[in-house]
Amino acid sequence: MIVQACINGARPSDFHPLLPLAIDAMVRDATASVAAGAAELHVHPRGADGKESLAAVDGTVGAIRRVCPGTLIGVSTGVWIEGDREKTREAISHWDVLPDYASVNLSEDDAPGVMQLLRQKGVGVEVGLASVADADRYIGLDDHERVFRVLIELDNEQDLQRACGIADGIIKVLRDSRVNRPILLHGFDDTVWPFVRLARERRYSTRIGLEDGKHLPDGTLANDNAELVTAAVAIFRGHSI
């Protein structure tokens, strides 16, 4: 069970006053998040224009690793980043400073190919499941156990009861198939804190940060990523928040 800090994601610049988009801001928040108790980091590198970029992975991962040695760093491979299957593959193939793992969404057509490319590069695969259909597709892959972790993320479902139902359905598929990989469960916006608590209850890992939401458990606006991480770590340690 760990708390991963997801410090920016695909959020627009006006989502939060301290959303880290430039490398120096990501370095700052990465350092502060680890100091607050985050065991891992998940970042969405940005180019000079502020847009998400797989070509910016080398510089971003390298800069963060220098200030957070020993902390696992992951990135996204979402198809929306480059907007094209071949551009996505080409960008990944040119990575020299490798992240420890990369998230791959099973809802995307080229997910198996991206997973294979990451393995060839020596990058761990954090396989993202957002539906029961994703889970079924995942277990249908011949090499489905060759992943770093299973990520259950329901960003598009804000109704808590329905979100929990989908999560339960995904978990049932994994259990029925005897998948023996670590699970990270997280929510998004309205479901963030209920899912942090659910992850603790079920002894899964979770994540928190401005990628997933900007409010603390009491509904107030968080000052920054570190304050969100502090609150999640407190819940994982059994403190009431």
Side-chain angles (χ1 to χ4, degrees):
M1 293 172 60
I2 59 100
V3 173
Q4 178 191 98
C6 53
I7 62 176
N8 53 11
R11 297 288 192 177
S13 59
D14 61 355
F15 177 70
H16 187 279
L18 290 181
L19 181 72
L21 301 181
I23 288 184
D24 59 346
M26 292 185 215
V27 167
R28 176 202 68 211
D29 274 33
T31 304
S33 295
V34 171
E40 292 181 11
L41 297 162
H42 174 79
V43 300
H44 287 225
R46 305 280 179 130
D49 57 2
K51 296 180 180 179
E52 290 181 84
S53 169
L54 294 181
V57 165
D58 282 20
T60 303
V61 171
I64 293 174
R65 189 165 282 146
R66 285 191 290 273
V67 297
C68 300
T71 300
L72 297 184
I73 303 170
V75 300
S76 175
T77 62
V79 69
W80 70 86
I81 297 174
E82 298 298 332
D84 178 85
R85 164 177 170 164
E86 295 308 317
K87 287 181 179 179
T88 297
R89 289 193 181 200
E90 182 179 5
I92 294 172
S93 69
H94 284 96
W95 287 350
D96 289 321
V97 181
L98 300 178
D100 297 286
Y101 62 92
S103 302
V104 181
N105 303 310
L106 259 290
S107 60
E108 296 176 0
D109 290 344
D110 197 34
V114 172
M115 292 167 68
Q116 182 179 15
L117 178 57
L118 290 170
R119 292 191 187 106
Q120 291 171 351
K121 294 284 290 185
V123 177
V125 175
E126 184 181 61
V127 60
L129 309 179
S131 67
V132 172
D134 287 352
D136 286 335
R137 186 186 188 197
Y138 163 62
I139 63 161
L141 300 176
D142 291 338
D143 51 2
H144 66 268
E145 285 283 3
R146 292 183 59 205
V147 298
F148 174 65
R149 176 168 52 217
V150 174
L151 174 68
I152 300 176
E153 51 182 357
L154 309 176
D155 296 1
N156 295 323
E157 183 53 75
Q158 290 297 287
D159 181 88
L160 181 58
Q161 184 174 357
R162 287 197 294 267
C164 288
I166 294 169
D168 286 342
I170 292 171
I171 292 165
K172 183 178 186 302
V173 171
L174 298 177
R175 286 178 176 170
D176 288 350
S177 301
R178 298 183 180 180
V179 171
N180 186 29
R181 303 309 305 145
I183 292 175
L184 188 154
L185 171 69
H186 78 90
F188 189 81
D189 286 338
D190 290 347
T191 63
V192 165
W193 295 107
F195 271 42
V196 168
R197 294 187 177 93
L198 182 61
R200 180 188 182 277
E201 176 186 322
R202 296 187 176 183
R203 302 190 65 78
Y204 298 147
S205 293
T206 194
R207 77 179 201 188
I208 193 68
L210 292 173
E211 173 169 355
D212 290 341
K214 60 184 176 182
H215 294 102
L216 295 169
D218 64 3
T220 60
L221 182 69
N223 289 324
D224 52 24
N225 276 301
E227 191 170 28
L228 291 166
V229 170
T230 297
V233 169
I235 291 172
F236 261 42
R237 290 176 177 169
H239 302 305
S240 298
I241 290 185

